[in-house]
Amino acid sequence: MIQLSNIHKTYPMGSVSVPALREISLTIERGEFIAIMGPSGSGKSTLLHILGRLDTPDSGSYKLFGKEVSQLNEDELAFLRGKVFGFVFQQFHLLPRTTALENVALPLLYHFNNNGTSKARRLLEEVGLGARLQHRPNELSGGQQQKVAIARALINDAPIILADEPTGNLDSASEKEIMDILSRLNERGMSIILITHEADIAK
């Protein structure tokens, strides 16, 4: 499904370039649930951003479903970000003035999908927030906000979830709930790529 070969990425820091990734090669098969570990500053998030095409490597090969990603045009890349990958971040990135229901349905606006509200409601019910549909982010706990973010990542039926420290801001009970949700998604056939620095989460 995903094949990376000799991926390099550097960032300019003043007059020097600092390497974030050097000679990264890996293969991720369809349906896998994998954890990418490392201390802060080791390039984990950079790698995830390259996988989701939020960032571009300086060199190397990235093949997705057998096709070289560097050869895709902007429309094809936008399709990847909208329909192939679902993103879940440590910071929930919810719109503060909109309800949970509206936050989840938002990505469908870009695809002119008129069934967004009913689908968003179903997904929120699946993650246990059926009673919080009209709550805004500041009316939800951290764990509940992350559930909204997961539901939003699922709204376009993306087969791959990219999760960057999704439990990093949560208490232990919420952490377990989020990992249980991701595990159930994986059991249904979704591929989950999880960034973490916590050994127990990776296990």
Side-chain angles (χ1 to χ4, degrees):
M1 180 182 71
I2 289 176
Q3 289 182 302
L4 299 184
S5 300
N6 297 319
I7 293 292
H8 291 255
K9 180 66 180 181
T10 59
Y11 291 105
M13 296 284 188
S15 61
V16 299
S17 293
V18 177
L21 300 173
R22 288 184 284 193
E23 297 185 14
I24 298 296
S25 298
L26 60 85
T27 299
I28 301 170
E29 302 293 348
R30 188 190 299 265
E32 279 197 286
F33 190 160
I34 71 161
I36 298 173
M37 292 190 66
S40 296
S42 61
K44 302 185 304 297
S45 293
T46 298
L47 176 58
L48 199 78
H49 291 170
I50 286 174
L51 289 172
R53 291 306 290 183
L54 301 175
D55 203 347
T56 304
D58 298 328
S59 62
S61 170
Y62 174 10
K63 290 184 178 179
L64 178 65
F65 300 115
K67 189 167 185 178
E68 181 61 51
V69 172
S70 64
Q71 297 175 357
L72 302 180
N73 60 38
E74 285 303 315
D75 288 340
E76 291 170 320
L77 291 174
F79 177 84
L80 284 186
R81 290 187 288 264
K83 297 289 285 184
V84 175
F85 296 112
F87 297 91
V88 181
F89 299 101
Q90 181 176 356
Q91 307 297 333
F92 316 119
H93 298 306
L94 302 178
L95 297 181
R97 295 184 178 86
T98 59
T99 65
L101 191 65
E102 292 165 336
N103 266 288
V104 173
L106 184 64
L108 291 180
L109 293 177
Y110 301 103
H111 298 281
F112 305 101
N113 189 319
N114 295 323
N115 298 319
T117 300
S118 59
K119 188 173 184 181
R121 179 179 291 108
R122 176 178 59 79
L123 288 170
L124 284 166
E125 289 170 351
E126 281 187 20
V127 298
L129 291 180
R132 298 285 189 272
L133 302 179
Q134 300 304 322
H135 285 60
R136 290 178 171 78
N138 66 352
E139 300 170 322
L140 300 170
S141 69
Q144 290 170 336
Q145 290 184 64
Q146 193 61 290
K147 289 178 182 180
V148 174
I150 290 173
R152 182 185 57 195
L154 300 173
I155 194 72
N156 281 324
D157 300 314
I160 305 170
I161 295 293
L162 302 177
D164 192 356
E165 300 274 9
T167 63
N169 286 331
L170 306 181
D171 59 71
S172 57
S174 298
E175 181 180 278
K176 183 180 185 306
E177 287 183 338
I178 296 304
M179 291 306 298
D180 286 346
I181 290 170
L182 293 176
S183 295
R184 290 198 302 271
L185 293 173
N186 178 247
E187 289 167 1
R188 284 161 42 182
M190 296 189 71
S191 303
I192 313 288
I193 302 171
L194 172 77
I195 296 292
T196 185
H197 63 270
E198 302 177 56
D200 56 335
I201 293 295
K203 184 178 179 180

